[in-house]
Every structure is written in C-alpha cells, then in structure tokens.
Amino acid sequence: MSLDSVRLSQPAKDRLSWLKRTTGIPNWNVLCRWALVMSLKDPSTPLVKDIVTDSTVEMSWKTFAGQYGDIYLALLKQRCIADGDEPTDENVAKTLTIHLHRGIGHLGGQKEFQSLEGLVGAANPT
Amino acid sequence: MLLRNITLEEFGAYRGKQSLDLTVKKSKPIILIGGLNGCGKTTLLDAIQLALYGPRARCSGRGSKAYETYLRESINRQHDPARGSSVTLEFTVTVDGKEHYYRVVRSWHVNGKTLKEFLNVSVDENYVTKPGRRTQPELKYSRLLSEGWADHVEDLLPLEVASLSFFDGEKIESLADPERAASVIESAVHSLLGVSTVQQLRTDLLALQRRQKLSDEEQHLMDNIRAQEHECESVQEQLDVAEQDSKHQDALLKNARHKLESLEREFQNEGGGLFERRLEIEQERKRADERLAELRLSLAQLAAGPLPLLMMRTHLKDVRKQARREQSAAEAGQVLDVLEQRDQWLLDLLPEDARDTITKRLEEDRAKRSKSSVLKVDFVLPHDALAQLTVLDEVLVRDEARASELLAHVAAAAEELDQLDRQLAGVPEQSKVEDLQKKRAAQLKELARMEATVARGRERAAELKRRRANVEAALERAHKEFVRTKVKAKEVERIIKYSEKARGTLERFGEALLQRHISRLEVAVLQSFKDLMRKRGLVQDLRIADDFRLTLTDSQGDTIDPGRLSAGERQILAVSLLWGLMKVAGNRLPSVIDTPLGRLDSRHREHLVDRYFPQASDQVLLLSTDKEIDEYLLGRLKKSVAHTYTLVHDDTTFTTNVVEGYWWNEGALHVAR
C-alpha cells in the first residue's frame, strides 16, 4: 500500500455512494476529504482493524488531496506521530486508510452530516 | 249729407281763392247760384265731383281727356302751374246719430313735366251743431282716410248716386228714355235704396261659406293622425313585449348570478381559491427549488475546496510550527557548510599556536549548530510550506465567510421551499375541483351572455320608450290639430248651414225690399210727375217692371210711348224720376241742379220752383242763369233760399269772382254787368 493511490473498502464505497446522493456532492475525492478531516478532528485513537480495500473506487493521491496535498500530507504525518507511529510512508498510508474509513463511518453514522448544509455547517459552526 | 263749404283756388275760370258758404237751414234748403253762360256754373258742379271722386268724377269739362291733362287744364290760365290749384269741399255726414265734419282738399300742381296731386282729408268725428250758431269744427288730418278716400267716399255717397244727385238739367232729358231709365232706376234702387247692401251681404256670405271648406291639408292631417295612432299602438305593443322580455331576462340573470354565487361558495369551500394559485405556487416552488439547487451547487463547489481544512485549525497551527522548525533547521544546515569553509579560511590566516584552541572552539560551535539543524520530528515538508499555509489561511477566511453566507441563503431558500410546500399541501387536488372549476367557468360565460342580453333588452326598451315619447308627442300635436280641425269642421258646418239660411232670408228680404222700393218708387215718381206736369190727366199710372223698365199708362189704360212726349215733358219726367228716387231714399243727399229749367215753359217752371226745388232735398244747389230763375221766379223761391251767390265774369281778365247775392236782391247792386 502506498500513498500513490487511495482505495476504499466496499462498505465505505456503498456508504459514500449513499452520501453522494444525500449531500449532492458528486465527487468521491471531495467526500473522502471531508471524511478524512472528520476523523482527524477526533482526537481519540481509532481502533485498528483490518480494512480490506477491495472496492473499485481508487484514486491517486493527487486526485484525493488536490491543491493542498502537502498540507494534507503534513496533517497525516502529524496524526501519525500523535498516534505514536513514525511518519514513514507505510505508516502514513496506513493512517490515511484508517482515518478515511473511520471518517466515512462518522459521516454515515451521524444524521447532521448526511446533508451538504450539515457538512459545511460542521466546518463553519457559526 | 250736407255740403258746408266749397273753396276753389285757381280752378278753371276762378281766379284766386273763391269760397262759397253752402250751409242751409231746415226751412231754407236752397242755395241759389246765378251765373251767365260761361261764367263757371258747370265748373262749380265739376269741382264738387272732382273733390269727392278725383279721377272717377264725371266732370263735364273732362270729356275723354286723360285725368292728368284735365287737371293740368283746370289750373287757372293766369296762374303759375307750378303752384297749382286746389278744391276744398267741406261737408257733414251723420252716421249712427253722430255728425262727422269732413274737409276734403284736393290739390295739384305741375312739377316740370309731371303733375302732382295731393288729397288731404281732415275730419272732426264729433261735430256738434248748435241751433242758430255755427260751430267751428275741430278738424284733424286723417292719414288713413286720405289714403283710402276712394273707398270711404263710396260709403258716404256712391258715385252712382252722386251722378243722380248732381245733375245737369239740360242733359237729364235722356233719362226719360225707357232703356236709359231702366239702368238708372236699377242702379239707383240698388245703391241708393240699400238693395245692393243686401245683395252684397249675400255675396259675402257665399264667400264666407266657400272659405269654410276643409282644406286638403286638414284632410291630410286626419290621415296623419290615424297613421300615427296606429304607429303609437304598435310601438306600445313592442314596448310591452320588450319590457316583459326584459323582466324575464332579469329573472334569468338573477338565477344565473345566484347559481354562480353558490358555485363560487362551493369552490371556495373546496379550496378553489388556493387551487387557482397552485400553478403559481408551484412555479414559485420550482423557482425556489432551482435557486436552492443553485445554492447547493455553489456550496458543493465550495465544499470541494479547502473547506474541510477549517476543522483542522489547531492541527494546522502545529503544522505551521513544525514548518518553521524545519525551515530554521534547513537554514542552520546550510549555514554550517558556509561556516566550515570560513572557519577553515580563518584558521589558515591564524598563527599555528592559536589554531588548536580556536579550532576546538569553532568545532564546538559547529557541532552545536549542527545539532540544532537536526530535528526530532521531520515531516519533510517542502520548502514553501509556510507560504502555502499562509495562502491557505487567507483562502479559508474567505471561504468561511462565503460558506456562512451560502448557508444562510440555503436555509432561507429551504424555508421558502418549505412554506411553498405547505401552501401546496393546502391546495386541493386538481381532480377534486376541476369539475367545479369547469362549471364555474361555464357559469361565468353564461352570466356574461345573459348580462349582454339583458343590456340589449334594456337598450331596446329604452329606445322604444324614446320612440313612444316621440310618437306620442307627434300624436298630441296631431290631436290638437285634429281637434281644431274637428271644431272647425263643425263650425264650418254650422256656418254653412246658417249662412245658407241667412242667404235665403236675405234673398227674400232683398226681393221684398226691392218690391217695396219699386212700389214706393212708382208712387213717388207718379206723384212727382203729377205735381210737376201741366197736363195732369196725361199720365194715369206709372209702373216699374221687374227689369226696371218704366211704363206710363194713360187714362184709357194704354201705355204711353215716351217718344211721344215732348222734350220738355221728358225733362219733367226725368226730374220726377230723380225726385221720386230722392224721396224714397229719404232726402239724405244734397241735390245739385245745373241749369234746371232750360226748355221748360213758364207753367212748368213755376211748378218746379214752387213744388220741386224747396222739397227736392234737405239741400239744393241751384245753378241758374238769369233767364231761368228770373226776378219773378226768384220772388216765388225766395222764402226757401238760404244763400244767394252770383258768379261774376270779368271779360277783360277772363276770371270769375263769386259775389254774394243774386241779380234782383240786395247783392245785385254790386254786380257789375
């Protein structure tokens, strides 16, 4: 597993497909970014479980992170350290996968995140 | 009628102003005017007639001359024609018991080639004669009489009568001729004795009758009325129908309105009003929806940006610190190499003995520096990470504001959409009200149609009313005319009936009057004749036939042919005829007798002087020569004479002057012979 590409598990893909409908955000990568940030925001260490990235949804790191790739990477490294791992490529990739999927879980699990307004409102709590 | 005065001014032989007072007394009716042949006796007679009758006067001096020529020649030869002549006649007439005093002035003068004639009539309507005294009349010029004198004088003294009343004794002999006598008698009886008045009355009545016929126009009027009555009825009928129609339509309209109202109530109950707004709301909703979608799209686009990083603010701060650290470490690393080279260059310059300590110190410093350039944690951030973070911060601030704005919009749009949805929820389903709606639309259409019908009906009724008013007004007018016509028709009938009757009466009256006059005339003429005739037994009887022919009968009962009578006898007969006429007429008119005794023998003269002249009339003007009324006859006549005048002719100047007195009385002394 490398940082070159980001791949989702089948349940995550299903959930995202549903979220695509409810939020009206048409792109996987955008939703994935939101999901990643949701998880990074949560200071608790995620439970490590085996994530089988077996879905057909796969995107390059560049597609995933877009313009702010360096920053996302820095954040991932920071989290990696915070979670007690060396920010090696492997660890960073792992962190990404874990947090991404935890975030997707968050989005799917909480009703307020199931709409675009809810999402943006969460980022913009005014 | 009594002549009062005659004044001649430059008339004929009369030079200057010559005036004769002709007033008579009851017992002295005679004015005796003497004059030799050619002195102007006949001119005086002419003057009287001329004053009264103008162009119609039968003046002896005129003959067949034109009236103007006659007047021109009548101006005294020694007088200036431009100043002209005049004849003034004054007389009184009693009408309806009132005496009227007239002064008729006829004057004329030559103006260049033309002759101008003037007639001035003055009258005193209330002339009062006091016995024994002469009253001066208060004369007033009457324009009316002056202009209409020719007609007026006919009422006072008809020309026909005047010719009998003013006569030339020598020329009246022709009256004895039966043919001539007949016409004189006829005209005299008719005009003098008032038979003509009866005749005139009858003619007037006939004219009146003829005027009374209903004119064509009036007949037309009656037809017109009938037509208009008919029209009025038909209009009224139409109006009745129209009004009934209108009422019916009104009722229908009321029903239709009622129905519409109930339909609308029902529709309202079913949410009809909202339903009508449904489309509107739906469209609004659609718009709102679109707006929301647009907003969401914007939001989604925003969300695709760095927006999620907003949640990483604290983490980003840490990253920033790390980035700074990494940068300073990198800088320190770079400085280390430079320092080593400079330290080496510096050591080379230093003396040997000082090198070791300094080298040691410098190495220590470099080690320290090198230590600081090695980080515990290294993210291997790119060298521009700090710049990137700074840009990100700016973008985030902007996006945050934009996001909150969009969120507010989205919330508002969503709220609106909600509102619209609620409204839509209140709108009934189309199927429920569709039927009602259709019904209502149909009813509205029906109502409009009915209203139009009612309006048309009302208009028609109004128009019919106007027309009825017009027709009625016309009928009213026509009726008034009609009534007038009817009244007139009745009146006409009445007038015709009564005038017919009156005409019958008048005819009988006229005949009776004529008969009476004729028989009186017969008696009067016979009496006169017997009084005047020397041969008393010659004529036994005198008859006037229906054709006014005079027949004389002798003692044997045979008719006497007037041709067998002598000229003197015929003159006597003529005089008796005139006298008889005057007697029957009532002696109301003056008699002017010119040359009365011309051919008569002394016996006949005596008879006339004794019996005729004093009684011929209330006023008798005798124009005589000295041979006719001579000294002897004057003596016999004297007691009846009121005035005497003599016309004195001056042979040297060829002018006549009037002088008081006769040849053999006192005045005669002054007469130049």
Side-chain angles (χ1 to χ4, degrees), chain B residues 192-249:
Chain B
L192 190 60
L193 305 180
V195 177
S196 71
T197 315
V198 177
Q199 204 53 266
Q200 188 63 42
L201 267 174
R202 286 181 61 205
T203 320
D204 287 354
L205 277 174
L206 193 63
L208 184 70
Q209 263 184 4
R210 289 200 175 124
R211 270 206 299 271
Q212 296 303 323
K213 288 239 169 78
L214 276 184
S215 65
D216 283 354
E217 201 182 338
E218 282 159 343
Q219 193 59 44
H220 176 71
L221 198 72
M222 306 270 268
D223 294 345
N224 195 17
I225 284 172
R226 254 162 238 134
Q228 263 165 353
E229 270 173 344
H230 190 70
E231 197 185 345
C232 196
E233 268 168 36
S234 91
V235 168
Q236 185 61 48
E237 245 168 60
Q238 282 177 51
L239 185 62
D240 285 347
V241 169
E243 272 178 345
Q244 222 160 13
D245 228 37
S246 196
K247 265 181 200 156
H248 181 62
Q249 293 286 352

Side-chain angles (χ1 to χ4, degrees), chain B residues 17-18 49 108 119 139 142 147 206 252 266 273 304 343 398 441 445 458 485 508 533 537-538 589 624 628:
Chain B
K17 201 167 187 174
Q18 308 287 337
Q49 295 193 55
W108 61 94
L119 180 70
L139 289 166
S142 165
E147 282 169 5
L206 193 63
L252 284 181
E266 204 176 331
D343 286 354
R398 203 184 62 214
K445 224 176 182 178
R458 289 229 176 94
T485 309
R508 284 201 303 284
M533 265 310 263
L538 180 63
L589 302 170
S624 164
E628 285 175 294

Side-chain angles (χ1 to χ4, degrees), chain B residues 124-332:
Chain B
D124 178 357
E125 297 280 1
N126 295 303
Y127 181 68
V128 184
T129 13
K130 286 176 186 163
R133 281 179 62 188
R134 290 202 59 184
T135 338
Q136 206 55 39
E138 292 171 19
L139 289 166
K140 276 182 199 153
Y141 168 69
S142 165
R143 194 164 151 245
L144 195 73
L145 281 179
S146 301
E147 282 169 5
W149 179 249
D151 289 331
H152 192 65
V153 76
E154 272 303 299
D155 291 341
L156 302 175
L157 180 64
L159 180 64
E160 280 303 319
V161 176
S163 66
L164 298 177
S165 187
F166 306 160
F167 61 88
D168 188 339
E170 290 195 315
K171 291 181 182 163
I172 60 168
E173 185 201 333
S174 61
L175 281 179
D177 177 56
E179 294 291 332
R180 176 94 170 83
S183 73
V184 169
I185 291 166
E186 185 176 358
S187 70
V189 162
H190 279 142
S191 60
L192 190 60
L193 305 180
V195 177
S196 71
T197 315
V198 177
Q199 204 53 266
Q200 188 63 42
L201 267 174
R202 286 181 61 205
T203 320
D204 287 354
L205 277 174
L206 193 63
L208 184 70
Q209 263 184 4
R210 289 200 175 124
R211 270 206 299 271
Q212 296 303 323
K213 288 239 169 78
L214 276 184
S215 65
D216 283 354
E217 201 182 338
E218 282 159 343
Q219 193 59 44
H220 176 71
L221 198 72
M222 306 270 268
D223 294 345
N224 195 17
I225 284 172
R226 254 162 238 134
Q228 263 165 353
E229 270 173 344
H230 190 70
E231 197 185 345
C232 196
E233 268 168 36
S234 91
V235 168
Q236 185 61 48
E237 245 168 60
Q238 282 177 51
L239 185 62
D240 285 347
V241 169
E243 272 178 345
Q244 222 160 13
D245 228 37
S246 196
K247 265 181 200 156
H248 181 62
Q249 293 286 352
D250 274 347
L252 284 181
L253 184 68
K254 213 172 161 187
N255 278 350
R257 281 217 177 102
H258 198 68
K259 201 169 162 193
L260 183 68
E261 267 169 32
S262 69
L263 272 172
E264 273 181 339
R265 261 203 303 281
E266 204 176 331
F267 191 61
Q268 198 79 40
N269 291 343
E270 297 281 337
L274 279 174
F275 177 77
E276 282 193 338
R277 286 194 58 212
R278 189 182 177 111
L279 271 180
E280 204 183 323
I281 295 167
E282 273 173 352
Q283 273 185 342
E284 254 179 73
R285 189 188 179 283
K286 201 176 154 199
R287 275 198 300 277
D289 212 18
E290 278 167 4
R291 201 157 59 244
L292 191 59
E294 243 171 70
L295 285 168
R296 278 198 170 129
L297 193 62
S298 304
L299 205 56
Q301 277 167 1
L302 201 63
L307 208 55
L309 294 173
L310 257 182
M311 287 187 284
M312 299 280 96
R313 276 234 165 98
T314 47
H315 302 75
L316 281 173
K317 271 180 192 157
D318 292 344
V319 170
R320 186 182 280 266
K321 280 177 193 163
Q322 177 67 25
R324 276 208 198 98
R325 274 197 296 275
E326 283 187 19
Q327 194 178 13
S328 49
E331 277 166 5

Side-chain angles (χ1 to χ4, degrees), chain B residues 520-535:
Chain B
R520 278 178 65 202
L521 195 59
E522 282 169 355
V523 172
V525 173
L526 185 63
Q527 185 58 47
S528 308
F529 193 62
K530 278 185 171 168
D531 281 352
L532 297 178
M533 265 310 263
R534 181 170 41 83
K535 296 178 190 169

Side-chain angles (χ1 to χ4, degrees), chain A residues 33 70 77-78 117 124, chain B residues 296 304 318 377 379 388 400:
Chain A
R33 272 181 226 155
D70 291 339
K77 281 176 178 169
Q78 193 183 38
E117 293 96 292
N124 200 36
Chain B
R296 278 198 170 129
D318 292 344
V377 180
F379 288 174
Q388 277 190 36
E400 191 182 8

Side-chain angles (χ1 to χ4, degrees), chain B residues 544-559:
Chain B
I544 297 169
D546 285 346
D547 57 357
F548 303 104
R549 286 176 79 97
L550 198 67
T551 44
L552 303 170
T553 327
D554 62 12
S555 51
Q556 271 77 48
D558 296 332
T559 55

